[in-house]
Each structure stands twice: as C-alpha cells, then as structure tokens.
Amino acid sequence: MKNMLGIDMKKEEQARFTSPKIAEEIRKRFADKTEIISVNMKYKRNIGRFVRKIERAHNKAKKSTLSFS
Amino acid sequence: MRLNGLSSHRTVFSEETKIYSASPPFSSFDFIESRFNGINSLRRCFSLARSLGMETITLEKISPQGLILEENNELQAYFPDYKFKGALRLCFWKKGFKKTEELKRLTSRDFIGYAILKHDQVKSKRVNKWHVFEAVFKKYPNPRNFIARSKTFKISCGDRQFSIKGVLYCQQNSLNKACAQVALRSLLSNHLPEGDISYKKINELADITPESGREPGKGMTVVEIRRVLTSLDIGFRDVDYTLDDKFRDSLPYQKFIYAGVESGAGAMLGFRFSGPEIPDNAPPRHIIPFFGHTFNKDTWVPDAEISYFDVGGGVGYVPSENWTSSFIGHDDNFGPNYCVPRCHVNKANVDYVVELLNREVKYSGVHAEAVSLGFIYSLVPSIPSESKENHWIKRLTKFIRMKRIVLRAVFAKKKSYIANLKDFSDWEGNRESTEFLNDLEDMLPPYLWIIEISLPQLFPANERKIGEVVLNPFVEPNISKDVDFDLFLMARIPCYYFFLDSLEEGNPMFLLLDSNIKSHMPLIRRL
C-alpha cells in the first residue's frame, strides 16, 4: 500500500522517506502557514568528525583480539 | 527448530508438582544449600522472589525438551562422557497454597518468576554441578526502573499454563556456553522473531563447532560475537577500548549502553577483573548484558561539569543518561536483574562495549544524538525574529548559547510520536491540529529516531520537552559528509516545524510550518 508520498510501506522502502518529499506535500496542503528560510549549518565539522570516530572505532573492532569467558 | 520446539522446556508437563510454603520457618538459604550446593545465581533468584512477595514455591522435575535437549546433544558431541543428571522447574508465587488443585485459582498475576535448573556431569572435565539454565522475573513495579522491551514467556505449572513478562536470564556452565553466549541469548531472545536461540546455533554462527577444535565453554572472542550478530542480521556499533585508549574518554562506554537500553535493543559490556591476584598479562574478562535503566530526577551529576558531553571542539550537550543512576542487566555469575551503578565499572577496566541496533536500523543512538545537535544548533537561531519573543524559544536560545540543552534519543514507532503530539496539549493548553498530524503520520516511516530536546530542570522534574529532531533510522549514513541531510526528516520547537526543502549548492533551505504548540510537552512514551 502506498502512502501520501507515493512510497510503498514495505520494509525496503523505508529509506525512501525524505524530508524534501514531506516538505513538498506540506507546502501543497498548508501553503498559507509556511515559509522558506535559509539555514547556516553550524559545527558541522565537529559533528562530522565525531560520527566518523564512532564508525572508526566500530571498524577497528574488526581486529579485536579480546575474548570473554 | 520452531518456536514451540525452542520453548518446550518451559511448557513440558511434569508428573509431579511439589509445593513449598515460603513462610517462616522456610529458609531459602537451606533450600539452595541442601539441594543445589549453594549456587549464587539461584540465591539471587530467591532474593528477587522474596522482594516481589514470594509466598509459595513449586518444584517440578522435567524431562529434557526443547533447548535443554538440544544442549544435551551438543554437549554429547563435545564430551562423549557427558551425562544429563536432571532438570527442575521452580516457579515462585505471590499467593499461599498447599495443594496442586489450588493452582486452578491462580492467575499469571500471582506469578513472580521461574527458574529452570539443569544438572550436567562430565567426569573427564571434573564437572558435576547444577546451574540456572534460564530464569525470568518480573521487574520491580517501581516506574523509575525502566525496561524498554521485555518479552512474555509461557510457563507450565501442574496442568496449567501461566505467562510472565521479563528479560531472559541465563547462566554459563563452562562446557558449551560461557558469559558471551549467555549474554547473547538474553538479548537475542528479545530480538529474534523465533523468540529464542539455542547455544548450538550461537556457537555454529560463531564457527565454534566440535570440528573447529574450539571449546565453546572457554568463551567467545569479539570477532565471534560480531559474527553471530552479523549472521542474524542484527546491526550493532562496538568499541574495543584496548585498540585505542583515547576512545575511553571520547566515546564513553555509558553512552553506548544507554543508547542500546533506551532503544530497547540492549547492549553488552566487556570488562577486566582487577585486583592483586589477577595477572597483568592475561586478565580474565567477563561480558554482561544490559536492557534497562533506573531514573533519578534528583541526581546531582547533571549540575556538575562531568555531565556535559563534548562531541569535539567545545560543541556539546547534556545527555539524558545523566539522570540514569544504574543500568539494569544480568550477571550470569550472580543472577538476574541487577542494577549496576552507571559509573561503577571504572572506564580503565572496560575493554569492550557493543550497542545492539533494532532491526533494519542503520546507525546508533549515539550517532543520532550527535547528528541532531547540528540541526538544533543551526535551526533555532534561523527562525524569524518576531518568534524569538516566545519565552520558550528565548530559553531554548539561551541554553543553546550555553550548549546546555538536554537530548534524549528514543527509538519509537511513529504512532507513539504522533500520539504524543495528538494526545497532549502544551503547558498553556494549546493543541496541535489533528488534520495536520493525520497527514504527517502518513508521511513518516513506521519507526523513527526521535531526539527529544529539553532543558535542565524541565527534563528531570517535569519529564517534559520543548521539541525534537526526527531522523530516519533506515537510511545508511554517509559519514564522508559532515552533514548528512538524508537522515533528517523533520524538527519541532515551540511555534514551528522544520522540513528540509532543498539544498542549493550545499546550502540548505528549510520549510518552516507554524505549530500550535507554543511551550513544553510531555516526553514520549512508547506504544
């Protein structure tokens, strides 16, 4: 079954839900209550570095030699 | 093996049900010492039962069925002299009764918990002992003890069947299972559609088989744990702190445990024992599962500097985990449902943490919180100046400037999110438009990462929030980008909703939609 955004509600379709698609639909329905603003994304490098650190740690753990008994 | 097969050791009929009154002079100590050689984990089971109002205990001898039978076959394959010496099912009851006929008037509400004990013998290994094959106990009724996801287990007693909700506890036997296998089974029983997993299956997925030359009772490596999770298609994020000591401070283990237990997926902590008798070159390591936490709104920590989490370069926030006093988990050596104080295990002794992710989820709750931070710190200062007169936007702006906002990452059904907005009004009684919320519900994926935004004092005392960032958990993050707009679905603060409209040469344009909600709302409750 497809939803308002034309996306099938199957598991594999879940990644297709995006904010621009929602925004488009919201604009159609509630045009008089919306406006567009430009946003300057702050601290993006710090946050980008942090999430890369999580992934780096996760990837490093592939080489772990720890064992638990 | 199908679900019935996996669980038949719980529902197998027993010829005889013995009944013991737990009233004085009955002594749990005597009972455990005389019959089970004083197993520590069973003492804990009896303590839990006492705390939950135990009046009666039933004891039934059960034949090997289900997972017990499968374990016996696995043990036989490893140890030809293996002997199954028996299994017993103990059920703990809140009502006093003396005859089996009286079981008829009991309901599952009278049922506190159960423990299945198993006696294994392997002469060549000098093993001849009882262990708690599994146990499930209700959580304390205290609402401050929070378990995001527990499972209902069906148990037979006499000719009746009862159900109990809890998280499976399992103990190692040092033969076909060690701490890692039992920790995995505890958490996997909550994840898998089959509702449980056998040790044989866990060992096979880890490539530990009789032919491999590896004895499963000697434990599992991180590589093997990862192999099991990957084979079952369960996402996870883990850190081996021995590979980079700096991660102990920049990626604290508590963040991963909290994210795992808040999302209901669970987490495991691997740590080193320390003490004068422990050799430095080969310290024994233990791993335990966590699935819940306690909440203390008066905790002192969030007001101290330690409470602030810096993602780097002074950019940070106050994580909601600061109001967690303890993580709730099992320690297979000592028993079920323990509260482990959040900072009790010294970070220097923690070697490994793994946060499990819910099905199909592509990134961690720790990741989600960090991503949301960028959106909150950028969106709020960009709103039209006239809205900045709203008191709650003023306060939010002030706390953003101080980088002291409180964030709580919740993995929840979109139904829970929409219900949260539909069912409650803000502090002044304003309600969101139902028409808009019905439309919004249709535009969101079935599950969401919801990162709730609150302020110190408002969060712990009132359990309320002033907005949230909503991310799509099913999108594979692109970590080469500093800002991954594909994860973002929407954000809400008093007066406004934000949706990403377009990206013009990398500059984001957001669609701002008026909201009827002008102040704070209750925190989300999962459905």
Side-chain angles (χ1 to χ4, degrees):
Chain A
M1 198 174 70
K2 290 192 175 180
N3 76 341
M4 207 179 270
L5 307 179
I7 301 170
D8 206 313
M9 296 302 275
K10 284 183 205 153
K11 249 194 253 174
E12 56 272 21
E13 295 281 281
Q14 288 164 5
R16 288 187 55 215
F17 286 85
T18 67
S19 199
K21 280 183 190 162
I22 302 171
E24 194 185 326
E25 204 55 42
I26 294 277
R27 214 166 17 186
K28 273 190 228 163
R29 286 160 189 270
F30 305 98
D32 57 327
K33 292 179 182 169
T34 62
E35 66 179 289
I36 302 280
I37 57 165
S38 168
V39 173
N40 172 29
M41 292 303 290
K42 294 183 175 177
Y43 312 119
K44 48 190 180 186
R45 284 206 186 127
N46 307 67
I47 291 163
R49 262 186 232 129
F50 179 74
V51 297
R52 281 191 285 277
K53 196 185 292 175
I54 298 171
E55 293 306 308
R56 199 168 63 242
H58 176 61
N59 286 330
K60 260 192 172 182
K62 278 180 199 160
K63 294 180 183 157
S64 173
T65 55
L66 297 176
S67 95
F68 302 98
S69 52
Chain B
M1 199 180 267
R2 288 173 39 207
L3 180 60
N4 275 352
L6 289 174
S7 61
S8 54
H9 58 292
R10 292 178 201 128
T11 52
V12 59
F13 176 74
S14 173
E15 295 286 327
E16 189 190 5
T17 304
K18 288 185 178 166
I19 299 169
Y20 300 87
S21 164
S23 306
F26 175 86
S27 159
S28 302
F29 278 87
D30 286 348
F31 189 84
I32 297 163
E33 284 160 10
S34 61
R35 288 169 171 270
F36 304 106
N37 203 23
I39 315 169
N40 267 333
S41 54
L42 189 59
R43 288 191 203 281
R44 169 66 182 166
C45 293
F46 272 73
S47 293
L48 272 173
R50 275 273 187 228
S51 307
L52 288 161
M54 165 177 79
E55 288 288 329
T56 309
I57 303 151
T58 54
L59 183 147
E60 295 171 301
K61 195 176 170 184
I62 53 171
S63 60
Q65 302 256 343
L67 291 185
I68 292 183
L69 182 62
E70 190 167 330
E71 176 167 284
N72 290 353
N73 293 337
E74 188 186 19
L75 285 166
Q76 198 78 57
Y78 278 100
F79 312 104
D81 60 339
Y82 169 73
K83 276 200 180 116
F84 169 69
K85 302 280 280 182
L88 295 170
R89 189 169 55 212
L90 288 167
C91 293
F92 302 91
W93 304 94
K94 256 197 294 201
K95 278 212 171 127
F97 61 95
K98 289 178 179 165
K99 294 177 185 165
T100 42
E101 300 84 72
E102 292 178 83
L103 277 167
K104 284 194 182 85
R105 61 181 176 87
L106 299 184
T107 69
S108 295
R109 267 183 291 185
D110 304 312
F111 193 27
I112 292 169
Y114 77 92
I116 292 178
L117 287 110
K118 184 168 179 265
H119 187 178
D120 297 311
Q121 187 188 61
V122 179
K123 279 190 178 163
S124 58
K125 300 280 291 180
R126 292 185 188 163
V127 170
N128 183 13
K129 62 182 180 187
W130 286 97
H131 73 285
V132 179
F133 181 79
E134 67 177 54
V136 175
F137 282 86
K138 277 182 183 170
K139 86 169 190 71
Y140 288 127
N142 186 344
R144 300 290 174 207
N145 281 25
F146 171 79
I147 293 176
R149 192 186 299 155
S150 37
K151 192 174 126 60
T152 301
F153 295 84
K154 288 200 180 337
I155 312 295
S156 291
C157 185
D159 57 359
R160 297 277 316 279
Q161 206 168 78
F162 299 88
S163 59
I164 190 143
K165 219 172 162 190
V167 179
L168 192 71
Y169 162 77
C170 320
Q171 189 180 10
Q172 62 176 300
N173 61 359
S174 309
L175 294 170
N176 67 323
K177 56 193 178 191
C179 55
Q181 285 98 328
V182 297
L184 278 169
R185 185 177 162 221
S186 284
L187 297 182
L188 293 178
S189 64
N190 263 350
H191 269 266
L192 301 174
E194 299 85 1
D196 209 337
I197 186 166
S198 70
Y199 295 110
K200 184 166 181 264
K201 180 80 178 167
I202 292 174
N203 290 330
E204 280 172 0
L205 292 174
D207 286 342
I208 303 172
T209 58
E211 299 74 40
S212 69
R214 283 268 285 110
E215 254 187 53
K218 291 197 170 153
M220 285 175 92
T221 63
V222 163
V223 171
E224 287 162 347
I225 291 170
R226 291 177 126 241
R227 208 179 283 148
V228 172
L229 295 173
T230 307
S231 306
L232 294 168
D233 210 15
I234 291 172
F236 59 94
R237 288 296 177 274
D238 57 348
V239 186
D240 175 345
Y241 293 103
T242 65
L243 295 174
D244 191 337
D245 224 29
K246 290 197 286 285
F247 290 149
R248 291 185 199 279
D249 290 315
S250 60
L251 297 174
Y253 74 85
Q254 291 94 340
K255 289 205 73 61
F256 291 91
I257 296 182
Y258 183 77
V261 301
E262 261 290 16
S263 73
M268 298 199 290
L269 182 71
F271 54 92
R272 226 172 318 130
F273 292 108
S274 59
E277 290 168 22
I278 304 293
D280 284 342
N281 53 349
R285 289 189 176 91
H286 189 44
I287 193 162
I288 56 176
F290 287 100
F291 44 81
H293 66 76
T294 62
F295 180 82
N296 182 352
K297 64 181 180 177
D298 298 313
T299 195
W300 166 81
V301 178
D303 289 336
E305 193 56 33
I306 195 173
S307 67
Y308 178 74
F309 182 68
D310 188 341
V311 300
V315 183
Y317 62 101
V318 179
S320 63
E321 92 203 28
N322 279 299
W323 286 273
T324 292
S325 306
S326 294
F327 294 122
I328 303 174
H330 301 319
D331 183 334
D332 83 284
N333 287 332
F334 301 109
N337 299 8
Y338 273 107
C339 287
V340 178
R342 188 169 62 94
C343 295
H344 180 76
V345 184
N346 187 329
K347 66 181 176 186
N349 288 339
V350 171
D351 284 345
Y352 183 65
V353 70
V354 53
E355 170 198 349
L356 269 55
L357 306 182
N358 284 290
R359 286 224 161 252
E360 313 290 334
V361 170
K362 304 292 184 203
Y363 53 99
S364 147
V366 185
H367 187 141
E369 254 179 26
V371 168
S372 72
L373 195 62
F375 286 104
I376 299 159
Y377 284 179
S378 310
L379 291 170
V380 177
S382 310
I383 59 169
S385 50
E386 63 270 20
S387 319
K388 291 180 180 166
E389 290 308 306
N390 173 295
H391 289 308
W392 286 102
I393 291 185
K394 271 188 194 168
R395 287 175 190 129
L396 179 59
T397 307
K398 182 181 156 197
F399 278 87
I400 285 177
R401 218 175 293 129
M402 292 156 61
K403 302 202 175 55
R404 284 293 187 273
I405 58 166
V406 176
L407 294 185
R408 174 191 184 225
V410 183
F411 179 77
K413 287 180 182 170
K414 74 169 164 186
K415 280 189 175 172
S416 304
Y417 178 53
I418 298 294
N420 179 252
L421 296 175
K422 252 186 200 172
D423 297 350
F424 298 100
S425 56
D426 69 12
W427 197 247
E428 284 78 33
N430 302 306
R431 277 185 180 273
E432 196 48 272
S433 137
T434 308
E435 182 202 356
F436 162 68
L437 292 174
N438 288 342
D439 286 351
L440 183 63
E441 185 168 4
D442 198 43
M443 295 182 217
L444 295 171
Y447 286 88
L448 307 165
W449 268 127
I450 301 161
I451 298 85
E452 296 185 298
I453 311 158
S454 190
L455 306 178
Q457 307 309 332
L458 181 68
F459 175 77
N462 299 286
E463 296 183 35
R464 292 176 76 92
K465 61 175 175 181
I466 45 178
E468 58 273 324
V469 173
V470 180
L471 304 177
N472 189 340
F474 307 111
V475 173
E476 191 71 60
N478 181 348
I479 59 160
S480 66
K481 292 181 185 170
D482 282 335
V483 186
D484 189 350
F485 289 102
D486 291 344
L487 306 186
F488 180 83
L489 287 169
M490 58 176 284
R492 185 189 66 79
I493 61 168
C495 305
Y496 292 114
Y497 291 92
F498 300 86
F499 302 92
L500 178 68
D501 187 76
S502 59
L503 278 171
E504 288 172 12
E505 293 170 7
N507 294 322
M509 305 296 286
F510 282 83
L511 181 79
L512 212 54
L513 172 72
D514 294 346
S515 166
N516 293 342
I517 300 168
K518 309 291 184 212
S519 66
H520 50 81
M521 296 279 285
L523 294 173
I524 206 156
R525 300 269 182 264
R526 294 171 187 83
L527 287 181

